[in-house]
């Protein structure tokens, strides 16, 4: 599909090739031409990827899908005053010759606003979202192929940020991408050498016993050039690389070894938890692998806990339930993270073999200045108690939070008020002996 931008002298009359015929070669040719003449006028390339299109296409047919693409392309041509090409699939590239930074970004913001409303296709309303990337030439586009690559990176960045977002390919993004690549390389090296991943633990305080009785694993990647990288930053990269299972398996083995050491040293503890990726958890062989590890290290299943994010229940509830039931029968403990965030209903908790709920730290932090947060926390703690479930409040940092949680009857607490993350030897010192 190709739309000719409108001229100042007359209204635009769009010309297009059939929607099932992407015009990538023609687009690359036009981008090359624009770059070659950029000494006279700089400009911008804008790439857009339409989300949710497959669902609409499958539901209403290719004819409606084609009309939707036509409608979108025509709109882009008019709004951006640009030549618009269907680059492939549900991707469009607009060539905005002579456009300044302000013109390009303001045009894209109007496009994003349009995607907040439904597209009317005959008698149907279709809601779509869009991921947008902008590359200014010739600054970040010495040639068309490089421009296309940079556009793809910018679109991917927008997709990570959420629906209807745009990203400009600039020095800030370049630095972010370089950092991500460095982390990816360091992670590969760490898994290959067995060195570079640091295993730490967050201790959990039992209010009734006034001692630490539990802990959960916390990973850091030690980069030779960037220093310590948190799990929040490097684990998403591990998922993109297909390495998250290897990381999780390494942590699981390390935790089983620590549990064995704690038992040998006769330490008093309830369990040590590992935060498990859904990708590993839903592998068919995972329950059997857990059995093998428990037997290899000779540890009771109830000393090992798996922490799952509540958001996993949205798309995979049935599969998760099956695996949880199988491992629960062995005695493995389950902790449900993000409790109270609304990802899943309370009814889901009733159907799952959950032992512990972890109260989202945001609620705890809001105790400082939001009285309604206290009402919510008290209610959640009461619900957990009546269901016979343990509950852990994470993110406890102040005396005020401590006192309020005590008034609500929270049995377990975790956070910097009690202890920062510690290495295995530090955890051994915190745990009392039998």
């Amino acid at each position: 599909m190709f739309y000719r931008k409108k001229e100042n002298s007359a209204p635009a009359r769009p010309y297009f090739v059939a929607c099932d015929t992407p015009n990538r070669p023609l687009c690359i040719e036009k981008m090359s031409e624009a770059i070659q003449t950029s000494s006279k006028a700089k400009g911008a390339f804008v790439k857009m990827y339409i989300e949710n299109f497959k669902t609409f296409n499958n539901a209403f047919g290719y004819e409606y899908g084609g009309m939707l693409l036509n409608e979108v392309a025509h709109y882009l041509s008019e709004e951006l005053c640009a030549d618009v090409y269907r680059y492939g699939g549900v991707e469009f590239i607009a060539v905005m010759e002579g456009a300044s930074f302000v013109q390009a970004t303001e045009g894209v913001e109007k496009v994003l606003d349009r995607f907040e409303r439904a597209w009317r296709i005959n008698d149907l309303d279709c809601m779509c979202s869009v991921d947008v990337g902008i590359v200014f030439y010739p600054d970040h586009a010495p040639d068309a192929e490089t421009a296309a690559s940079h556009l793809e990176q910018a679109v991917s960045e927008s997709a990570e940020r959420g629906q209807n977002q745009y990203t400009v390919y600039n020095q800030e993004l370049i630095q972010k991408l370089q950092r991500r690549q460095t982390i990816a390389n360091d992670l590969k090296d760490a898994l290959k050498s067995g060195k570079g991943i640091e295993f730490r633990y967050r201790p959990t305080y039992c209010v009734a016993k006034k001692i630490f009785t539990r802990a959960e694993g916390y990973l850091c990647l030690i980069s030779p050039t960037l220093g310590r990288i948190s799990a929040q930053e490097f684990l998403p990269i591990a998922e993109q690389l297909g390495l998250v299972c290897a990381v999780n398996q390494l942590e699981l083995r390390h935790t089983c070894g620590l549990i064995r050491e704690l038992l040998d040293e006769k330490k008093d503890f309830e369990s040590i938890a590992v935060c498990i990726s859904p990708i590993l958890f839903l592998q068919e062989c995972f329950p059997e692998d857990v059995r093998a590890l428990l037997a290899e290290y000779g540890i009771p299943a109830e000393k090992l806990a798996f922490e799952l994010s509540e958001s996993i229940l949205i798309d995979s509830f049935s599969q998760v339930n099956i695996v949880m039931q199988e491992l629960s029968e062995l005695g493995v403990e389950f902790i449900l993270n993000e409790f109270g965030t609304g990802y899943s209903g309370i009814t889901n908790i009733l159907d799952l073999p959950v032992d512990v709920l972890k109260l989202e730290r945001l609620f705890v932090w809001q105790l400082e200045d939001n009285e309604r947060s206290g009402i919510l926390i008290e209610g959640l703690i009461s619900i957990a108690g009546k269901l016979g479930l343990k509950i852990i409040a994470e993110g406890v940092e102040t005396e005020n939070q401590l006192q309020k949680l005590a008034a609500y009857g929270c049995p377990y607490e975790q956070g910097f008020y009690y202890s920062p993350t510690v290495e295995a030897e530090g955890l051994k010192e915190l745990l009392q002996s039998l």
Side-chain angles (χ1 to χ4, degrees), residues 223-253:
S223 167
T225 55
L226 302 177
R228 182 177 279 106
I229 309 297
S230 70
Q232 287 84 353
E233 184 175 6
F234 86 80
L235 283 181
I237 296 174
E239 287 191 6
Q240 293 172 0
L241 296 173
L243 298 175
V244 70
C245 288
V247 174
N248 245 188
Q249 289 166 342
L250 189 63
E251 182 186 14
L252 181 55
R253 179 168 289 278

Side-chain angles (χ1 to χ4, degrees), residues 217-407:
Y218 180 81
L219 298 179
C220 290
L221 175 67
I222 308 302
S223 167
T225 55
L226 302 177
R228 182 177 279 106
I229 309 297
S230 70
Q232 287 84 353
E233 184 175 6
F234 86 80
L235 283 181
I237 296 174
E239 287 191 6
Q240 293 172 0
L241 296 173
L243 298 175
V244 70
C245 288
V247 174
N248 245 188
Q249 289 166 342
L250 189 63
E251 182 186 14
L252 181 55
R253 179 168 289 278
H254 188 275
T255 300
C256 288
L258 174 61
I259 292 173
R260 180 67 267 165
E261 292 175 12
L262 294 175
L263 292 172
D264 291 342
E265 296 179 19
K266 301 188 183 305
K267 292 294 183 179
D268 182 17
F269 69 103
E270 296 177 32
S271 66
I272 308 296
V274 177
C275 187
I276 293 294
S277 163
I279 298 174
L280 176 61
F281 191 79
L282 294 176
Q283 288 194 357
E284 186 177 350
C285 61
F286 183 66
E288 190 57 41
D289 290 343
V290 173
R291 288 191 186 90
L293 279 174
L294 294 173
E296 179 181 346
Y297 287 92
I299 59 176
E302 60 268 18
K303 293 297 183 181
L304 176 64
F306 290 145
E307 184 174 320
L308 296 175
S309 171
E310 192 180 358
S311 54
I312 188 180
L313 304 180
I314 296 176
D315 298 322
S316 309
F317 180 85
S318 297
Q319 292 174 274
V320 170
N321 194 9
I322 292 172
V323 178
M324 287 182 70
Q325 295 290 351
E326 187 172 351
L327 290 173
S328 182
E329 290 175 3
L330 290 178
V332 174
E333 185 181 65
F334 281 101
I335 302 172
L336 193 61
N337 202 350
E338 301 172 341
F339 180 58
T341 56
Y343 284 110
S344 65
I346 295 295
T347 54
N348 287 339
I349 297 173
L350 300 177
D351 296 330
L352 297 171
V354 175
D355 304 285
V356 184
L357 301 174
K358 182 175 282 189
L359 189 64
E360 172 60 38
R361 68 181 63 214
L362 178 62
F363 295 130
V364 176
W365 292 344
Q366 288 182 337
L367 285 174
E368 296 296 323
D369 53 20
N370 189 340
E371 293 182 3
R372 300 180 69 181
S373 180
I375 298 172
L376 179 59
I377 288 177
E378 186 176 18
L380 293 175
I381 291 173
S382 176
I383 290 172
K386 290 178 180 179
L387 291 174
L389 303 175
K390 300 172 184 176
I391 189 166
I392 300 172
E394 63 174 341
V396 181
E397 298 180 356
T398 69
E399 182 70 28
N400 180 46
Q401 294 167 354
L402 182 75
Q403 292 177 357
K404 290 185 176 180
L405 287 170

Side-chain angles (χ1 to χ4, degrees), residues 19-86:
C19 281
D20 58 356
T21 309
N23 281 314
R24 181 173 301 195
L26 189 59
C27 179
I28 292 295
E29 181 181 335
K30 179 62 179 180
M31 291 167 69
S32 297
E33 178 186 323
I35 293 171
Q36 290 170 5
T37 59
S38 61
S39 58
K40 298 179 181 179
K42 299 182 179 181
F45 301 131
V46 179
K47 184 174 183 178
M48 304 183 186
Y49 177 86
I50 301 177
E51 301 277 5
N52 314 327
F53 177 78
K54 183 177 180 181
T55 301
F56 178 83
N57 211 36
N58 290 342
F60 301 107
Y62 292 103
E63 182 179 356
Y64 273 89
M67 286 190 286
L68 173 61
L69 292 178
N70 281 341
E71 184 71 20
V72 169
H74 184 223
Y75 167 78
L76 295 176
S77 175
E78 293 290 309
E79 186 62 66
L80 298 178
C81 296
D83 292 349
V84 175
Y85 300 80
R86 186 177 174 213

Side-chain angles (χ1 to χ4, degrees), residues 49-54 90 127-131 159 163:
Y49 177 86
I50 301 177
E51 301 277 5
N52 314 327
F53 177 78
K54 183 177 180 181
V90 290
M127 289 296 297
C128 295
S129 58
V130 65
D131 308 319
Q163 291 186 342

